Amino acid sequence: MNKILGLVTTSIVMLWLTGCTQKAPVLGGQNSETGTAISDANSVAGGNMIGITDGPSGGTLGRTPNGASEMNSGNVYNSSSDGFVSLYFDVNSYGISSDMQTRVDKNIANLAKNPMNIKITGNCDESGTDEYNYALGLKRAKAIKDAIVSGGSSENSITIVSLGESTPVCTEDNEECKMRNRRVDIKKAN
Amino acid sequence: MKYLIIMIGCISWLLGAVDAEFAMSKSIGVKEKITIVDCSNIIDISKRDRVFKIFKSDFGLSGSFISDSIYHTGDFDSKLISPELKSKPYLFKYSLINGSNGVELKVLLQKTTNGETMFSKNYALSSSDQYPFLIHKSIGDINKAMGKGNLSWMNKFVILSKVSSSGKSQIILSDYTMTYNKTIMSGGLNIFPKWANANQDKFYYTDMNGDRPSLYLVDINSGKKTFIIKSDGMLVCSDVNKNGQKILLTMAPNGQPDIYELTVATNGTTKITDYSGIDVSARYGANDNEIIFVSNRSGKANIYKKSFTSPSVTLATNYGSYNNTFDYNNNKMVFSSKESQNSFNIYLLKDKSNKPFPLTSSGDNQYPKFLFNSNIVSYVKQQGNHSKIGYINIDSLQGELFDFNGKIQSLDW
């Protein structure tokens, strides 16, 4: 037992004197092997972390809901701009439902009347994982782009982007709210 | 009264040993029973409780020790061991003190039978807010000194994207308990952070603030941002290979989300999948010769495998019909499977076994991840607009769950 105690004590002293050899993540430009932040072993960096700041981002907010039945018809809400109207989708779907066709036609007409470069953004509710939802939002945006191109607009004037579940217009925990987030928005491209 | 206290103690111990969050009861075969004693005199009650929870979690997830949930206080320098602390073979004392030069931690592990010191060490750190890492380090040292294995995963940083508000996010560094939090990027929508190397000094992320999604590489030491690639539609760095020279992307140059491999040295890309539906979340499989990914080829999200040299695609698991997140390591796979509306559970699948083993039993549990080559699986439990992060030792089946202040968009180790 004394031998074990001796070995443990020796190990402790050696570790104390030499520090740990484990590779450390070094943050804020301070190398933990040469810095004074830590007196033993740990890979923790002290000091100043970087604080990268990027510019502001967009995000559109929809109108106040007026009722679930109107919501289901897709005729009430709109988080698009520049004369366009938003389009809504079923759960986990990127097919354009028949009751959205009027809105698709309205967008085609608006673009024909006011030619411009447009940005179509696809969005999802919070169900599922974000990476999958980014792809699902993209498929929705692509479906609307294809419909608009079929209506006679130039493909080159349209940019599509998915925002997944990152820009909800509603954050309440109910089905009506989720439905409002399963949408495609259209606006003039910058 | 004495019997009542003993009964309450027994119930507390049992509650600590059987967590309703986990599907299986825990094995207690080889774990050393230990009593934890706080000698810190921390005035802030919430911090005091947090420190105790971190020690308890570190011991539990080590798979080597099991402690009760009773909070004890004591004198670090006292040689006496009171009779009620002798019910378990080991006594662990700690003293965490904030001083003018940072934070100091003293730990002591003794045998309760004869008071023999098994481990003793002092630690110090100039940044007081990083005290969780001191705790993780001390328990890792004890585990190693006791011949119980390597707990270096506890010393690693978690990088995650936190949803701030609609269209805004922050990128944050944290310890595994989510106690240490450092925002390293804020403003706009910056998502899907992914460590670029094992040293955790560089990371990729997707910048959503321009006209199209852009992938950047950030050097944490210098703060330098390097543009990598831009894509229509979407762009996510899903995985980095072992030597950091290649990465797997989901991107959509023609509006169609498919999986690509990018060679870091040249920024050249190769298209790996070509499917008219959705292919996302690719990981490198065995020896970087194949990928495992999520696709809706069957109409719903599921997990598939594909060799780099063959166009054929096969299902990675026959379990369930909606499996949307996974991780793969050394012929083992963990994945989340939809059980019902808003209910996803984590399963463990070992190669050549068709029967997945459940690791969780309720809630919305996703993003399972093997932590390096350890026996720990992490996962995210979503509860409305808040997330929790859970850990399970797949050998001992001990688990812990930690609250996160907000909603996690994605995370990486």
Side-chain angles (χ1 to χ4, degrees):
Chain A
M1 186 54 71
N2 285 339
K3 278 185 178 177
I4 294 171
L5 182 58
L7 278 171
V8 171
T9 307
T10 305
S11 300
I12 292 165
V13 171
M14 289 300 288
L15 279 169
W16 178 256
L17 290 173
T18 60
C20 182
T21 57
Q22 183 186 343
K23 274 276 186 183
V26 182
L27 301 176
Q30 179 177 353
N31 187 323
S32 62
E33 291 181 359
T34 56
T36 56
I38 187 166
S39 58
D40 187 291
N42 199 350
S43 52
V44 179
N48 301 320
M49 288 270 197
I50 55 169
I52 303 167
T53 302
D54 281 314
S57 161
T60 51
L61 293 176
R63 291 177 3 200
T64 305
N66 290 331
S69 59
E70 291 174 295
M71 170 64 209
N72 289 338
S73 71
N75 291 325
V76 172
Y77 305 118
N78 186 27
S79 41
S80 296
S81 55
D82 305 305
F84 296 101
V85 290
S86 300
L87 302 108
Y88 299 90
F89 290 79
D90 291 334
V91 176
N92 205 23
S93 167
Y94 42 86
I96 302 172
S97 62
S98 56
D99 60 352
M100 284 292 115
Q101 193 55 51
T102 306
R103 292 199 145 210
V104 171
D105 294 342
K106 188 172 181 180
N107 288 322
I108 291 171
N110 184 52
L111 192 55
K113 187 178 174 184
N114 307 293
M116 66 183 105
N117 292 331
I118 61 170
K119 186 173 186 177
I120 301 177
T121 54
N123 299 272
C124 299
D125 65 29
E126 64 183 19
S127 307
T129 65
D130 215 16
E131 187 165 346
Y132 190 87
N133 279 340
Y134 266 82
L136 181 59
L138 180 61
K139 296 294 287 184
R140 288 172 176 166
K142 179 75 161 47
I144 298 303
K145 175 186 175 181
D146 291 346
I148 290 175
V149 170
S150 297
S153 297
S154 165
E155 188 171 0
N156 296 331
S157 65
I158 302 172
T159 301
I160 59 172
V161 170
S162 177
L163 292 173
E165 59 186 81
S166 297
T167 55
V169 293
C170 179
T171 55
E172 295 162 20
D173 187 17
N174 58 57
E175 184 49 40
E176 180 188 339
C177 182
K178 288 180 180 177
M179 185 178 282
R180 290 183 60 196
N181 291 328
R182 295 192 295 267
R183 73 191 194 281
V184 160
D185 293 332
I186 307 174
K187 66 176 184 178
K188 185 178 180 180
N190 293 326
Chain B
M1 178 58 79
K2 190 182 286 184
Y3 292 113
L4 181 63
I5 292 170
I6 291 170
M7 189 183 295
I8 291 169
C10 289
I11 291 169
S12 300
W13 191 88
L14 285 169
L15 286 175
V18 182
D19 187 333
E21 297 285 355
F22 304 108
M24 301 295 291
S25 60
K26 298 163 184 172
S27 152
I28 55 170
V30 295
K31 292 187 279 285
E32 309 286 3
K33 291 179 182 173
I34 190 168
T35 301
I36 302 173
V37 177
D38 179 7
C39 306
S40 306
N41 197 23
I42 298 171
I43 296 169
D44 180 342
I45 301 296
S46 64
K47 181 177 178 181
R48 184 198 75 180
D49 293 346
R50 189 71 178 181
V51 168
F52 180 75
K53 180 177 169 65
I54 296 172
F55 274 113
K56 183 176 174 298
S57 171
D58 282 6
F59 274 122
L61 290 175
S62 74
S64 313
F65 297 90
I66 185 165
S67 68
D68 59 38
S69 296
I70 301 171
Y71 175 74
H72 299 275
T73 58
D75 178 356
F76 192 88
D77 297 318
S78 172
K79 304 293 182 194
L80 294 173
I81 299 175
S82 58
E84 75 264 23
L85 299 180
K86 291 190 172 182
S87 61
K88 300 191 177 61
Y90 290 98
L91 176 66
F92 174 75
K93 291 182 180 178
Y94 67 87
S95 173
L96 185 75
I97 299 169
N98 273 343
S100 55
N101 295 320
V103 59
E104 295 176 7
L105 173 67
K106 295 191 291 184
V107 297
L108 174 67
L109 180 69
Q110 293 175 287
K111 277 188 175 177
T112 54
T113 49
N114 56 9
E116 180 186 357
T117 296
M118 304 302 293
F119 186 91
S120 175
K121 197 168 183 177
N122 297 351
Y123 301 84
L125 186 63
S126 62
S127 299
S128 299
D129 60 343
Q130 294 182 339
Y131 75 86
F133 288 100
L134 280 191
I135 296 174
H136 306 326
K137 175 62 187 162
S138 70
I139 303 306
D141 286 350
I142 286 173
N143 209 56
K144 198 171 180 181
M146 297 286 284
K148 303 283 189 180
N150 189 334
L151 300 179
S152 60
W153 68 268
M154 289 183 182
N155 299 329
K156 295 289 189 179
F157 283 93
V158 185
I159 190 165
L160 60 92
S161 173
K162 173 186 175 182
V163 178
S164 309
S165 60
S166 180
K168 296 192 185 305
S169 65
Q170 297 170 303
I171 293 182
I172 291 171
L173 292 182
S174 177
D175 78 307
Y176 89 88
T177 68
M178 305 283 117
T179 306
Y180 170 75
N181 276 292
K182 179 78 177 177
T183 300
I184 58 171
M185 190 175 289
S186 60
L189 185 59
N190 303 294
I191 51 179
F192 296 114
K194 189 86 189 167
W195 288 118
N197 55 33
N199 290 339
Q200 297 190 323
D201 56 10
K202 293 179 181 175
F203 69 92
Y204 295 100
Y205 77 97
T206 302
D207 181 322
M208 296 292 294
N209 304 300
D211 59 335
R212 295 173 187 182
S214 300
L215 187 73
Y216 284 90
L217 176 67
V218 176
D219 183 323
I220 290 186
N221 292 327
S222 65
K224 182 184 175 189
K225 273 173 61 174
T226 305
F227 171 78
I228 303 296
I229 194 169
K230 181 182 277 197
S231 172
D232 274 340
M234 69 176 290
L235 180 55
V236 180
C237 175
S238 305
D239 200 14
V240 178
N241 79 343
K242 290 186 180 72
N243 59 22
Q245 293 177 356
K246 297 200 172 188
I247 61 178
L248 291 172
L249 305 174
T250 298
M251 62 179 189
N254 299 308
Q256 172 55 45
D258 277 308
I259 292 162
Y260 293 73
E261 186 179 52
L262 180 142
T263 302
V264 173
T266 63
N267 274 10
T269 57
T270 305
K271 192 173 185 181
I272 306 298
T273 66
D274 187 7
Y275 171 60
S276 59
I278 292 173
D279 288 343
V280 292
S281 305
R283 301 275 187 280
Y284 285 100
N287 301 316
D288 293 352
N289 290 329
E290 63 177 8
I291 61 164
I292 304 164
F293 62 103
V294 172
S295 174
N296 69 342
R297 285 157 200 265
S298 60
K300 295 178 181 176
N302 216 331
I303 305 161
Y304 294 84
K305 284 184 179 182
K306 181 188 179 302
S307 162
F308 277 102
T309 56
S310 166
S312 67
V313 169
T314 56
L315 262 177
T317 173
N318 292 317
Y319 183 84
S321 61
Y322 191 109
N323 305 314
N324 62 350
T325 55
F326 72 94
D327 194 24
Y328 179 90
N329 186 31
N330 290 335
N331 298 325
K332 295 192 292 283
M333 188 170 81
V334 278
F335 61 95
S336 58
S337 187
K338 187 172 186 176
E339 315 278 25
S340 62
Q341 182 77 11
N342 296 328
S343 174
F344 286 81
N345 280 312
I346 308 293
Y347 288 83
L348 170 67
L349 185 66
K350 296 184 178 178
D351 246 8
K352 295 175 184 166
S353 164
N354 289 321
K355 193 174 179 187
F357 181 85
L359 296 175
T360 65
S361 60
S362 64
D364 181 357
N365 308 289
Q366 299 190 49
Y367 300 106
K369 175 87 176 163
F370 289 108
L371 301 188
F372 310 98
N373 289 317
S374 75
N375 51 359
I376 302 294
V377 170
S378 70
Y379 64 97
V380 174
K381 182 183 281 287
Q382 301 287 15
Q383 291 182 330
N385 289 321
H386 284 85
S387 305
K388 295 182 176 185
I389 185 162
Y391 300 88
I392 301 169
N393 184 314
I394 60 174
D395 292 333
S396 69
L397 295 177
Q398 285 179 281
E400 293 288 343
L401 203 56
F402 292 91
D403 285 321
F404 178 71
N405 181 27
K407 185 172 183 181
I408 294 172
Q409 183 268 332
S410 70
L411 79 170
D412 190 38
W413 284 80

